[in-house]
Each structure stands twice: as structure tokens, then as C-alpha cells.
Amino acid sequence: KKRIVSGIQPTGSIHLGNYLGAIRNWVSLQNAYDTLFFIVDLHAITLPYDTQELSRTTRETAAIYLACGVDASEGSIFVQSHVRAHVELMWLLSSATPIGWLNKMIQFKEKSRKAGDENVGVALLTYPVLMASDILLYQSDFVPVGEDQKQHLELTREIAERINYLYGGRRWKKLGGRGGAIFKVPEPLIPPAGARVMSLTDGFSKMSKSAPSDQSRINILDSKDLIANKIKRCKTDSFPGLEFDNPERPECNNLLTIYQIVSNKTKEEVVQECQNMNWGTFKPLLTDALIDHLHPIQVRYEEIMTDSGYLDGILAEGARKAAVIADATLHNVYQAMGFLRRQ
Ligand code: TYM
């Protein structure tokens, strides 16, 4: 089986963008692949954060994975910091990552501009190297993510190719390696719809955990009333009818896309159904579809959270299984890079 890996930061609450761009695809792909899904707590400390919250949001994120249907019996669900190899490989990778590559990262530029110099730790710059480590440790074939992670995936590929070039090949074979590459070069898997869910209050910016207004996003755990209220107040326009793909109507495209996915319809079906509607008829339809889709997830979430032993057991077992694969890769990389073998 080919392998997929992916993860989400446990900062703030998991929203519809994370679900439609990532988790939903993990679930639809998981039967065909060997899977590892992690909660990237080490990434969550790259901007100022609350130490009182981190462990709670980490467990909640894991519970959301399970509630959304991520399967822990075949694949592994684990916490990034529980597998030490992530940080260790990151150091090795960072030695072969030019600073110029990191300075070009759009997310770094955006986040550092917002945070202000005082709050920008070195880890914000090297963040994508840790992400590369998360992926390369498991010799992953594919990484299912939303559109905004595409550039980080491209960087991961470049780091893998550079390490393979610098330390792989003939030298690697002489050292007892398989003769091929040290790392598999992974590819992103970006869904055709839902790869970039936009804010409810501004169709030009993406839905995000860090946007100050909670009105801008639907969180997976939002109550029915809250969902209804957010959709009622969300930004729309005054064009006649509803349509996809009109660049002057980003909010319209976004809301129709959300509706299409959560109601399990094709784009054509949604066009047929909604093209002559106005916002007053469409909004209640969208609200109901969202509530119907999220409600079972919320019920399962509550069940999972009442049994903390179950969740902790899954995370412990996940970390144990992941560490076996990760340690093997790490060992090979140390060897290829010429380190004295540990006795
Ligand atoms: P994060 O936590 O920002 O987002 C988690 C996943 O959700 C997707 N996503 C979206 N998709 C569609 N529309 C949106 N508005 C939206 N917002 C977020 C993201 O693309 C992502 O798939 N660096 C990563 C976490 C990470 C990771 C990894 C991912 C660390 N190591 C290794 C894959 C593999 C991040 O911050 O995602």
C-alpha cells in the first residue's frame, strides 16, 4: 500500500476549512492507503500561545479526527511531540535547507508581518523544515492538504531531493543503504472542491483559525444556533441569482461550494437547484445542510471525550507504531550523513 500522512495544528478550533480541505479527504482515502495522521503540537508553539491550553486543544483535535471518521485501527493517530524523531530529523534537514528557500515562504511572510518582530521566533522561519521532517520520516507517497500548504509541500520535495543528491546515491550504497534515494519525494493531494474555503465575512481571505472574528468561520463544534446565526449574518452580494466561479462574487462561490460538499451533491446539481434562488431562500438551505452534516460528528465527539482512556490509548498506540517507522528512517539518515553509529 502507498502511504499518506497529514496533520493539523492544535491552535484555536478546527473549522470547516480544515475539515473540507483536509480531514474529509483523509477519511475518503484511508481505506486505500497506509495512513499516519498527527496533531502538530510542535508547530503550534511557533507563535505566542497559551501553555494552559495546549494539551487540551491537542486532545480535542485528536477527538475531532476520530469523530470525523479517521480510522485508528488500521492507521495511526498520534501527537507529533510524542515521536522524538520529528525534531531530530528536522535538525539534519535544516543543515541542507538554504535560508533563502525559507524566506520565500508565503505563510512565513504573512505570519511574521502580522506578529511583529518581537514575536517572531526563529521557529516561525524553520517551521516548514519541521513539516518536511513530519512527512519525510514516514517515506510518504502523498500528503492530503488544502491549497495553502502547496508551497510547503514543494519545499519538502526540494529538501528531499537535495538530501538525496548530497548524501544518497553511490555513497549511500557503499554505506549499506539500498542504493536508491534516502527519502521518497512526496506529492500533495489537493481536493478538487473545498481546497480553499473562504472567510464568511470576506470572500477574498481564507477561513482561518487565527482570524480575530469567530463570525468569519464555522467551527466543527459550533452549536446549531451559532451556525444559523453565522450563516444569517455572513457576507453576500446583490447580484441576481446564485452562481459558481464568478470572480466578482467570491462569497457566492464559497457558499455554494460549501453547500455542494456538505450536501453531497455535484456542482451541476447545485447549479440546477440554486441558480435562480436569492439569498433569503439559499441561506436556510445551507444552514440545514451544515447542521445535518456536522451534527453526527458532534455527537461522536462528545462520546469520545467522555472516555479519556480510549483517546489516550489510541494516541499511545499511534505514537508507538509511528516511532518504529520514524526511527528506521532517522537511523538511515544519520548513517548516510556520516555520523558515528550509536552502540
Ligand atoms: P493548518 O493547521 O493550518 O491546517 C490544517 C489543514 O487544513 C487545511 N486548511 C484549509 N483547507 C481549505 N480551506 C481553508 N480555509 C483551510 N485552512 C486550513 C490546510 O491546508 C491543512 O491541510 N503546516 C500545516 C500542518 C502540518 C502538516 C504537516 C500538514 C505540519 N506538518 C505534515 C501535512 C503534513 C498547517 O499549519 O496546517
Side-chain angles (χ1 to χ4, degrees):
K1 269 191 186 176
K2 300 245 180 199
R3 181 173 290 153
I4 60 179
V5 305
S6 198
I8 297 183
Q9 289 192 61
T11 41
S13 44
I14 306 298
H15 55 69
L16 209 55
N18 303 131
Y19 177 67
L20 300 182
I23 308 179
R24 199 180 57 100
N25 294 309
W26 305 354
V27 174
S28 63
L29 294 163
Q30 65 188 353
N31 292 330
Y33 295 92
D34 186 20
T35 62
L36 295 121
F37 298 118
F38 31 76
I39 298 100
V40 293
D41 53 350
L42 293 164
H43 279 109
I45 67 167
T46 52
L47 285 171
Y49 72 102
D50 186 346
T51 54
Q52 307 283 318
E53 298 274 303
L54 185 61
S55 64
R56 185 174 60 78
T57 53
T58 299
R59 294 183 87 255
E60 286 172 0
T61 305
I64 287 181
Y65 287 8
L66 292 167
C68 291
V70 178
D71 180 9
S73 58
E74 296 286 325
S76 304
I77 298 179
F78 65 98
V79 177
Q80 182 191 35
S81 66
H82 294 180
V83 179
R84 289 173 194 236
H86 289 242
V87 177
E88 216 171 319
L89 179 64
M90 182 207 174
W91 179 256
L92 302 179
L93 299 181
S94 68
S95 71
T97 309
I99 295 181
W101 292 3
L102 299 177
N103 275 325
K104 279 196 316 207
M105 293 295 114
I106 296 162
Q107 291 214 345
F108 170 69
K109 288 197 241 177
E110 284 177 1
K111 288 182 183 176
S112 55
R113 180 161 26 82
K114 263 193 231 157
D117 285 349
E118 285 293 297
N119 287 326
V120 177
V122 176
L124 194 64
L125 180 67
T126 55
Y127 173 118
V129 188
L130 180 59
M131 178 160 164
S133 170
D134 299 338
I135 296 166
L136 300 179
L137 268 181
Y138 300 101
Q139 305 291 350
S140 318
D141 297 281
F142 297 107
V143 186
V145 284
E147 169 85 34
D148 61 344
Q149 296 300 318
K150 215 170 157 182
Q151 196 188 28
H152 287 157
L153 250 296
E154 195 44 51
L155 181 84
T156 300
R157 292 167 56 84
E158 281 171 6
I159 294 174
E161 274 162 3
R162 194 163 152 109
I163 296 267
N164 286 344
Y165 171 76
L166 289 172
Y167 306 107
R170 279 173 53 214
R171 176 154 190 274
W172 174 223
K173 197 164 187 179
K174 251 193 262 161
L175 287 161
R178 290 179 308 275
I182 297 173
F183 292 124
K184 205 173 249 184
V185 182
E187 283 177 43
L189 276 186
I190 295 173
R196 192 170 172 82
V197 178
M198 307 312 279
S199 156
L200 296 182
T201 48
D202 168 17
F204 291 101
S205 47
K206 70 172 187 194
M207 187 176 284
S208 99
K209 298 188 202 104
S210 58
S213 168
D214 194 55
Q215 288 288 335
S216 68
R217 60 186 162 258
I218 302 279
N219 302 304
I220 299 301
L221 301 178
D222 279 351
S223 69
K224 292 180 185 179
D225 289 349
L226 199 51
I227 293 173
N229 179 276
K230 284 176 176 176
I231 296 299
K232 203 170 178 181
R233 292 175 50 182
C234 77
K235 185 163 179 224
T236 55
D237 55 33
S238 47
F239 289 76
L242 304 179
E243 59 190 325
F244 282 103
D245 302 321
N246 180 345
E248 286 177 49
R249 306 186 67 184
E251 288 86 10
C252 186
N253 185 64
N254 188 45
L255 296 172
L256 286 178
T257 304
I258 294 173
Y259 176 66
Q260 181 202 323
I261 307 176
V262 295
S263 63
N264 241 322
K265 291 181 177 161
T266 63
K267 196 168 173 178
E268 291 67 37
E269 285 169 336
V270 174
V271 171
Q272 284 305 316
E273 186 186 4
C274 304
Q275 58 187 346
N276 297 319
M277 285 185 179
N278 57 32
W279 292 113
T281 16
F282 177 70
K283 280 188 169 185
L285 200 66
L286 173 60
T287 303
D288 288 346
L290 273 170
I291 291 172
D292 288 348
H293 194 97
L294 294 180
H295 183 68
I297 295 175
Q298 297 176 351
V299 172
R300 280 197 297 275
Y301 175 84
E302 291 306 329
E303 283 167 14
I304 292 161
M305 289 304 271
T306 54
D307 186 352
S308 64
Y310 170 71
L311 185 60
D312 293 338
I314 283 176
L315 295 177
E317 170 68 7
R320 200 191 50 74
K321 284 197 288 186
V324 174
I325 308 171
D327 289 346
T329 300
L330 185 64
H331 173 80
N332 283 342
V333 181
Y334 273 125
Q335 222 189 315
M337 289 179 73
F339 284 81
L340 178 64
R341 190 192 269 270
R342 265 182 235 189
Q343 295 303 325

